[in-house]
Amino acid sequence: MKENKGIEIFENAPIGRAVLNNALPAMAAMLMVLIYNLADTFFIGQTGDDLQVAAVSLATPVFLLFMAVGTIFGIGGTSVISRAMGEGRMEYARKVCAFCMWSCVFVGIGMSALFLIFMNPLLSFVGASADTWEFAKMYLTIVSLSGPFVLIANCYSNVIRAEGQSSKAMMGQLIGNLLNVILDPIMILLLGWNITGAAIATVIGNVCGAMYYLLYFLKGESALSTRFRDVTLGEQVATGVLSIGIPAALGSLLMSVSNILMNTQMAQYGDMAVAGVGVAMKVTMITGMVCIGLGQGIQPLLGYCVGAKKWERYRKALRFSLIFALLLSTALTILCYVGILPIVNAFLTDKAAFAYGVSFSRILLCTSFLFGVFYVLINALQAAGAGTESLIVNVSRQGIIYIPAMFILGNLFQETGLIWAQPVADVLSLLLALYLYVRRSRRMMEK
């Protein structure tokens, strides 16, 4: 019955209510993810050791690779399931859900093993120095043990939104992230475990978040399935999920790769520059994560409308979402800009690191007001099953445009040029996303 209420909102609720009912829980969940991401850096910063802050900044992009792979099955599965439900193909939706679950299990185990085996080459690649090496190695070794759970938590925080259960999706993320935030000060400061405590808290949070979603299915609250017997690689289940999931995840994967490259390039200016850029990226995450949640929240609604071919409802939902996204991201950007000094000061104590953090934050905030529109367009493409267009946009913002801009501007303007590469990539990628979306939507509605 709960599932039917979710679908009823997709079909008949007023547009504003339908969008906000799905978007607000997703935004709240991503806000909690943001707090979780900030917590490790914040409480490590309270130790007064900025080398540990730099180590967390180096390790975070590597850990995000787990989350990015979970996104493959989460976003891809959500897109396929929501369209299948709009078409009334429930059995197919169940098979897709089961495929996503067991893919997370097997791929997560494989990734954990690879990270542990190749830990030293990985640390060299991310630019760990002699001073940060042991800190970064300790953190990554511990969090790598939670690989399958990280994938499951990130996958099903998206997938169960496809059946209209945004609140359930939010609760799983809330439990895992809130537990991490509670454990951080206890393990880092009270017990004195420092960066080791941060890593252990991260593992416990991800395991508990994944267990919440597993219990949701085991208790029979879902119309979908996670049973191994429902897994199939035929009927275009795998290709359907991967054709959308891989382009979606490439954005996250390239974000990790580009952050790693940024850290290696910034390392030539010292560990304090690395600490500064790590904190600056977290400042812009305040706007970015909330807007990602908005985009992910509306995707199932848009996907359902595509499957049911309710084009007028689709247009109204998209229009409302774009306006809301622009207002939201603008307000958050202004809030962050006004609060730059106290925010950066909360993480960094070294004067050089603080100066870098403030300067870099101001540059990155120049284009963060565009995040909302960008993520709505990305998720609209994914909801429509536009794998090619989604691939182009995702590899552009963090790869094709950003990485060359980083090297070109870095060579011309040193550390300041490295930071300006992101705003340049933001503007060009938004223009590209808008063009591709308009072209795809016209063709889709004509058919």
Side-chain angles (χ1 to χ4, degrees):
M1 187 65 187
K2 291 181 181 179
E3 301 80 37
N4 292 336
K5 287 182 180 179
I7 300 305
E8 176 67 21
I9 290 173
F10 284 169
E11 285 196 340
N12 300 314
I15 290 298
R17 181 189 165 203
V19 170
L20 296 177
N21 183 80
N22 288 280
L24 291 179
M27 290 161 59
M30 292 308 291
L31 189 59
M32 201 61 222
V33 172
L34 170 66
I35 293 172
Y36 145 71
N37 274 284
L38 295 177
D40 281 356
T41 307
F42 174 76
F43 289 112
I44 287 294
Q46 301 313 297
T47 66
D49 187 351
D50 285 352
L51 286 173
Q52 291 192 58
V53 175
V56 172
S57 298
L58 290 168
T60 298
V62 181
F63 177 64
L64 290 177
L65 292 174
F66 281 110
M67 300 176 69
V69 175
T71 300
I72 292 177
F73 304 106
I75 298 296
T78 300
S79 176
V80 176
I81 291 168
S82 60
R83 281 180 281 128
M85 293 179 78
E87 296 165 356
R89 303 168 64 198
M90 278 306 303
E91 188 58 34
Y92 184 75
R94 289 169 60 81
K95 292 178 180 178
V96 173
C97 186
F99 167 80
C100 292
M101 165 61 73
W102 291 97
S103 295
C104 286
V105 172
F106 293 124
V107 173
I109 292 172
M111 288 185 67
S112 292
L114 289 172
F115 274 40
L116 293 172
I117 292 169
F118 298 104
M119 182 62 67
N120 287 337
L122 191 60
L123 290 170
S124 296
F125 177 69
V126 302
S129 68
D131 293 325
T132 59
W133 184 282
E134 288 304 320
F135 291 134
K137 183 175 183 178
M138 178 63 69
Y139 187 89
L140 282 177
T141 298
I142 294 172
V143 298
S144 292
L145 299 174
S146 63
F149 297 100
V150 178
L151 264 67
I152 291 171
N154 279 275
C155 174
Y156 284 91
S157 65
N158 286 291
V159 165
I160 63 174
R161 291 194 190 106
E163 56 177 344
Q165 293 293 345
S166 264
S167 295
K168 294 286 186 182
M170 176 188 70
M171 282 304 298
Q173 289 180 293
L174 186 65
I175 289 170
N177 295 328
L178 185 59
L179 186 58
N180 184 24
V181 172
I182 293 171
L183 290 175
D184 264 344
I186 296 173
M187 293 186 171
I188 296 171
L189 302 176
L190 185 62
L191 297 179
W193 293 353
N194 297 330
I195 200 168
T196 302
I200 294 172
T202 296
V203 170
I204 294 173
N206 279 285
V207 170
C208 290
M211 292 305 298
Y212 172 85
Y213 294 122
L214 292 174
L215 287 173
Y216 168 74
F217 287 101
L218 290 173
K219 288 164 61 178
E221 295 185 35
S222 175
L224 301 173
S225 170
T226 56
R227 293 180 300 184
F228 187 74
R229 69 184 185 187
D230 289 326
V231 176
T232 178
L233 298 179
E235 302 179 52
Q236 294 188 323
V237 168
T239 55
V241 171
L242 297 179
S243 66
I244 298 299
I246 289 176
L250 273 176
S252 298
L253 287 168
L254 285 171
M255 184 181 296
S256 294
V257 172
S258 61
N259 284 350
I260 291 169
L261 290 174
M262 173 64 75
N263 286 332
T264 58
Q265 292 295 303
M266 194 63 73
Q268 63 187 304
Y269 303 104
D271 287 329
M272 294 305 99
V274 174
V277 73
V279 170
M281 288 180 176
K282 291 183 185 300
V283 172
T284 57
M285 280 174 65
I286 296 172
T287 302
M289 295 295 275
V290 173
C291 292
I292 288 172
L294 171 59
Q296 292 179 352
I298 64 167
Q299 184 187 325
L301 170 62
L302 296 177
Y304 187 90
C305 292
V306 170
K309 293 183 170 54
K310 296 190 172 186
W311 301 122
E312 185 59 30
R313 186 168 178 80
Y314 174 90
R315 291 189 191 95
K316 289 180 179 179
L318 183 66
R319 188 182 306 117
F320 181 94
S321 300
L322 286 170
I323 294 171
F324 179 66
L326 181 59
L327 294 175
L328 176 68
S329 55
T330 300
L332 288 173
T333 297
I334 294 171
L335 184 65
C336 290
Y337 198 90
V338 171
I340 283 178
L341 295 180
I343 293 173
V344 175
N345 190 54
F347 296 100
L348 298 170
T349 55
D350 182 89
K351 289 183 178 180
F354 177 80
Y356 276 126
V358 172
S359 174
F360 293 165
S361 295
R362 286 175 173 157
I363 294 171
L364 292 178
L365 287 171
C366 288
T367 50
S368 63
F369 73 97
L370 300 172
F371 287 174
V373 173
F374 179 79
Y375 285 114
V376 167
L377 291 175
I378 282 283
N379 281 274
L381 287 169
Q382 292 165 357
T388 301
E389 290 86 346
S390 179
L391 173 65
I392 293 170
V393 175
N394 277 300
V395 300
S396 295
R397 182 171 182 264
Q398 293 296 333
I400 295 174
I401 297 175
Y402 179 48
I403 292 176
M406 186 194 308
F407 284 102
I408 294 170
L409 294 176
N411 286 330
L412 292 174
F413 305 108
Q414 290 74 51
E415 64 265 50
T416 303
L418 288 172
I419 300 300
W420 270 108
Q422 187 63 75
V424 169
D426 288 341
V427 173
L428 295 178
S429 298
L430 176 60
L431 294 174
L432 178 63
L434 183 60
Y435 166 74
L436 291 174
Y437 171 76
V438 170
R439 190 181 69 169
R440 174 71 184 203
S441 64
R442 285 175 178 172
R443 188 164 66 246
M444 176 177 67
M445 293 178 193
E446 285 172 0
K447 288 182 179 179

